[in-house]
Amino acid sequence: MSGARPPRAPAWLALLGLTLGVCVTNGFARFAYGLILPAMREDLGWTYAEAGWLNAANAFGYVFGALVTLALSQRVPASRLFSVGMAGCAGFLLATGLTEDFAAQTAWRVLTGVFGAAAFVAGGALSAAMHRDDPRRNAMAIALYFGLGGGLGMVLSGAVLPFLFARLGPGAWPMAWLLLGGASLAFLPLCIWASESLRPPRAAPGAPRAARARLPIRAMAAAIAGYGCFGLGYIVYVTFIVALIASRDGGPGLVAATWGMIGVGIAVSPFAWRGIFARHASGRPLAMVLGVMTLGTALPVLTGSLAGLMVSALLFGLTVFMAPGAVTSFSRRNLPEPAWTAGVSLFTLVFAIGQTIGPVAAGALGDAFGDIGPGIASAGAILALGAGVSLLQKPLS
């Protein structure tokens, strides 16, 4: 039937299915690597640069995945991109726990990034289409998509993995990946069902195709540059904050508390930022997010105290998923609907390129100084630059 579509899910259930996608693509596939990294380094004898390379490999996959999603965005429904991306991401998370070979690990991290980028971008476009006639509810849906799922991923991984390693030692890292992959597969049916419920009906035979919308890249330059700085800076904190804690003799309880505080910040972040997203069509929301993140990134290096670490984790959690939320809201407010997926894909591409550089550069600094602190401090400086550049972004209309 030309107008057939799956039965519509309740809005809250559809949004839950999308947010579980972020739990997998970001909370598990990307951020949990920071929890598993110290065990892999110890068990496999890696340097900081080698450890950073695997996260860079994941980011290379994100670059390719964002490019493919950008190319397919106006030919393949976002719901299909989301479903395929989720299935691939879950499968390669499982594969990461099945080998010690560095080349194979690199391949699995690349492929996790490819499929994770497709799901992340498509899910953002699907959330942007919810409540399209109500700016405040739309802003809330976007913020919840990025914040709720990411927070859940951080809380779950932070509550389990540090104690797994404390009990079984660094050799338990394959089990950690298998646990994350198994949980991802358990989420998959709801994720796919939710995305299909948000798929727009197919056009009737003979109906004209919607014109392709061109992205005004020059007019978006400040927001794109600011988001690139976000990609460069945030990934350093995620990759190495646990290594910093370990280098200062922090135990699994402190690691779990830090990860849990980041997760709490992420879960609360949609309620803190929804009003700002709803009010501004400029680069101001992104600038504010990056400004707060700068402070959160710098605190553990500047203070070295437990209180500083906890405040740092909370501030980082309050902002890390609101940067993609800010650019998704910017795309929603400034671009025609046919260009939403392409806009989010472009931002994700620039962000992913930054991700490929950040971990390796920070890891090299850590190896040179014998301390990862200078690498994390440099990430804070880059985030501050991104905040300043983002303030230059004006609404497109």
Side-chain angles (χ1 to χ4, degrees):
M1 262 173 101
S2 61
R5 58 173 298 162
R8 179 177 293 276
W12 68 268
L13 190 57
L15 185 58
L16 175 62
L18 295 182
T19 60
L20 288 177
V22 183
C23 176
V24 171
T25 62
N26 289 56
F28 290 171
R30 196 138 39 102
F31 288 4
Y33 179 64
L35 287 171
I36 304 173
L37 164 64
M40 297 182 79
R41 279 191 68 235
E42 183 176 347
D43 190 54
L44 301 174
W46 292 346
T47 65
Y48 278 123
E50 287 173 325
W53 163 252
L54 273 195
N55 233 19
N58 183 250
F60 279 125
Y62 253 74
V63 172
F64 186 74
L67 277 170
V68 170
T69 306
L70 181 61
L72 297 176
S73 61
Q74 293 186 349
R75 293 192 293 273
V76 179
S79 58
R80 183 64 50 80
L81 292 171
F82 180 83
S83 298
V84 172
M86 283 296 303
C89 191
F92 289 115
L93 273 175
L94 280 173
T96 307
L98 298 178
T99 180
E100 296 182 359
D101 182 72
F102 192 79
Q105 285 282 341
T106 298
W108 303 150
R109 293 296 287 162
V110 169
L111 290 167
T112 301
V114 171
F115 285 92
F120 186 68
V121 169
L126 290 169
S127 70
M130 299 183 74
H131 310 298
R132 66 185 70 220
D133 297 323
D134 186 335
R136 289 189 65 84
R137 293 181 72 191
N138 176 259
M140 187 62 175
I142 292 171
L144 281 172
Y145 167 70
F146 290 104
L148 186 60
L152 179 63
M154 299 289 282
V155 169
L156 290 176
S157 57
V160 174
L161 298 186
F163 298 102
L164 174 71
F165 294 128
R167 183 175 180 83
L168 300 179
W173 64 263
M175 185 183 300
W177 286 115
L178 294 175
L179 287 172
L180 296 177
S184 302
L185 287 177
F187 294 159
L188 191 59
L190 178 58
C191 292
I192 293 175
W193 177 74
S195 69
E196 288 297 312
S197 77
L198 295 171
R199 177 170 55 87
R202 290 174 292 177
R209 291 187 176 183
R212 292 194 178 187
R214 297 177 62 88
L215 294 177
I217 294 176
R218 183 175 298 179
M220 299 165 61
I224 291 170
Y227 201 58
C229 290
F230 165 66
L232 270 169
Y234 99 95
I235 192 64
V236 174
Y237 187 99
V238 172
T239 303
F240 291 117
I241 189 61
V242 175
L244 179 69
I245 294 170
S247 72
R248 297 176 179 176
D249 300 320
L254 182 57
V255 172
T258 302
W259 219 250
M261 187 64 75
I262 294 174
V264 168
I266 293 172
V268 171
S269 61
F271 305 96
W273 294 97
R274 60 175 177 171
I276 295 171
F277 289 178
R279 286 195 299 270
H280 298 286
S282 66
R284 182 173 296 181
L286 180 60
M288 295 173 68
V289 166
L290 295 183
V292 175
M293 185 180 289
T294 298
L295 179 59
T297 302
L299 274 175
V301 179
L302 295 176
T303 69
S305 67
L306 175 61
L309 179 62
M310 290 298 102
V311 173
S312 162
L314 180 62
L315 293 179
F316 188 82
L318 281 169
T319 53
V320 65
F321 279 103
M322 293 301 98
V327 297
T328 299
S329 181
F330 176 84
S331 299
R332 166 71 173 80
R333 298 284 295 274
N334 289 281
L335 299 174
E337 184 170 354
W340 290 352
T341 304
V344 177
S345 297
L346 177 61
F347 278 115
T348 303
L349 173 62
V350 174
F351 150 86
I353 292 171
Q355 282 193 133
T356 65
I357 301 169
V360 175
L365 278 174
D367 290 332
F369 285 91
D371 179 8
I372 198 59
I376 294 177
S378 67
I382 291 169
L383 290 167
L385 175 63
V389 171
S390 300
L391 277 176
L392 302 176
Q393 180 64 60
K394 305 297 182 186
L396 301 186
S397 59

